[in-house]
Amino acid sequence: KAGVTQTPRYLIKTRGQQVTLSCSPISGHRSVSWYQQTPGQGLQFLFEYFSETQRNKGNFPGRFSGRQFSNSRSEMNVSTLELGDSALYLCASSLGSGGQQNTIYFGEGSWLTVV
Amino acid sequence: QKEVEQNSGPLSVPEGAIASLNCTYSDRVSQSFFWYRQYSGKSPELIMSIYSNGDKEDGRFTAQLNKASQYVSLLIRDSQPSDSATYLCAVPGGGNKLTFGTGTQLKVEL
């Protein structure tokens, strides 16, 4: 069974550009969450989508957005990139809508460098 | 106040020793807790979950939860060099949102 797949794995962008990252969850999983990981702030929750609806949103500016498609695949977009957006962006998928027995699996991440 | 707090380390232990990793949380209503392991350059991997007060054992790993003290810990027995990683404590925050601590770096020395 394939795990959570993220593309691209590595990318370099210039300040002011925008970027789109893609995530394919584990087959059958309906929930996709996105996290940003930086050395200074650690792992921070961006947003969660379940059945194409955003259910939860972290404390990030509106430049960060996402969406989920009917096949559960998800994309996140960051517009007007800043140097501080350089980070590892992690996608996580899970089967259900939450609860104690709902395991969350992470993808390998997309490493974004903004120059 | 941060919701989940961990000592960043590094915590160094000799091979074969017990490594003890600690985490405190601020939300008294939290019901479940997770420990993730993250190797350098890799994604987090779930190693333990605990929902009830007391101990939960899985192989060389034991998670301990004390809800009254808002404290959860992870013990690694017979530590191996392959256990060297960053260990992240996480608390659910509604739906599938997880709030993570900053992680404790563990180094197991030969």
Side-chain angles (χ1 to χ4, degrees):
Chain A
K1 190 174 186 180
V4 181
T5 304
Q6 292 188 244
T7 57
R9 292 293 319 282
Y10 305 91
L11 65 166
I12 300 173
K13 290 287 189 178
T14 304
R15 274 181 299 174
Q17 288 186 315
Q18 65 101 26
V19 65
T20 298
L21 308 177
S22 180
C23 173
S24 293
I26 293 171
S27 178
H29 285 195
R30 296 164 62 192
S31 169
V32 173
S33 303
W34 289 90
Y35 291 81
Q36 181 197 65
Q37 188 171 32
T38 60
Q41 298 298 318
L43 251 176
Q44 292 188 291
F45 173 80
L46 281 157
F47 28 66
E48 180 201 358
Y49 288 87
F50 185 83
S51 295
E52 302 180 66
T53 301
Q54 187 181 90
R55 291 203 304 177
N56 248 319
K57 190 176 189 305
N59 189 26
F60 279 82
R63 300 185 297 107
F64 293 81
S65 63
R67 59 178 176 169
Q68 186 180 33
F69 303 97
S70 58
N71 61 358
S72 293
R73 191 177 69 85
S74 176
E75 290 181 347
M76 68 161 284
N77 184 276
V78 187
S79 62
T80 318
L81 284 165
E82 301 176 358
L83 295 178
D85 296 332
S86 295
L88 175 63
Y89 289 88
L90 290 160
C91 172
S93 83
S94 56
L95 182 62
S97 58
Q100 291 186 353
Q101 304 302 325
N102 196 48
T103 301
I104 296 170
Y105 300 89
F106 283 87
E108 290 298 316
S110 294
W111 289 91
L112 170 65
T113 301
V114 182
V115 298
Chain B
Q1 182 187 4
K2 287 189 177 179
E3 295 181 49
V4 181
E5 296 206 38
Q6 296 180 256
N7 187 321
S8 61
L11 171 66
S12 293
V13 300
E15 184 179 5
I18 296 175
S20 178
L21 305 160
N22 305 313
C23 172
T24 57
Y25 58 95
S26 60
D27 188 354
R28 287 192 170 273
V29 302
S30 294
Q31 294 295 314
S32 47
F33 305 87
F34 304 95
W35 282 100
Y36 281 81
R37 176 177 62 198
Q38 186 174 25
Y39 292 113
S40 180
K42 299 294 186 181
S43 61
E45 171 192 14
L46 180 67
I47 54 171
M48 287 286 286
S49 58
I50 186 166
Y51 314 117
S52 305
N53 271 331
D55 296 0
K56 178 183 177 182
E57 187 174 318
D58 184 0
R60 296 186 297 111
F61 298 96
T62 299
Q64 299 175 318
L65 175 59
N66 184 325
K67 290 186 178 181
S69 300
Q70 295 177 242
Y71 176 93
V72 58
S73 64
L74 179 70
L75 302 178
I76 306 174
R77 290 182 301 281
D78 188 24
S79 294
Q80 301 297 308
S82 59
D83 295 325
S84 297
T86 296
Y87 290 80
L88 299 157
C89 174
V91 175
N96 287 311
K97 172 186 176 180
L98 291 175
T99 299
F100 285 88
T102 53
T104 298
Q105 184 184 8
L106 173 66
K107 293 183 177 181
V108 180
E109 299 168 334
L110 295 171

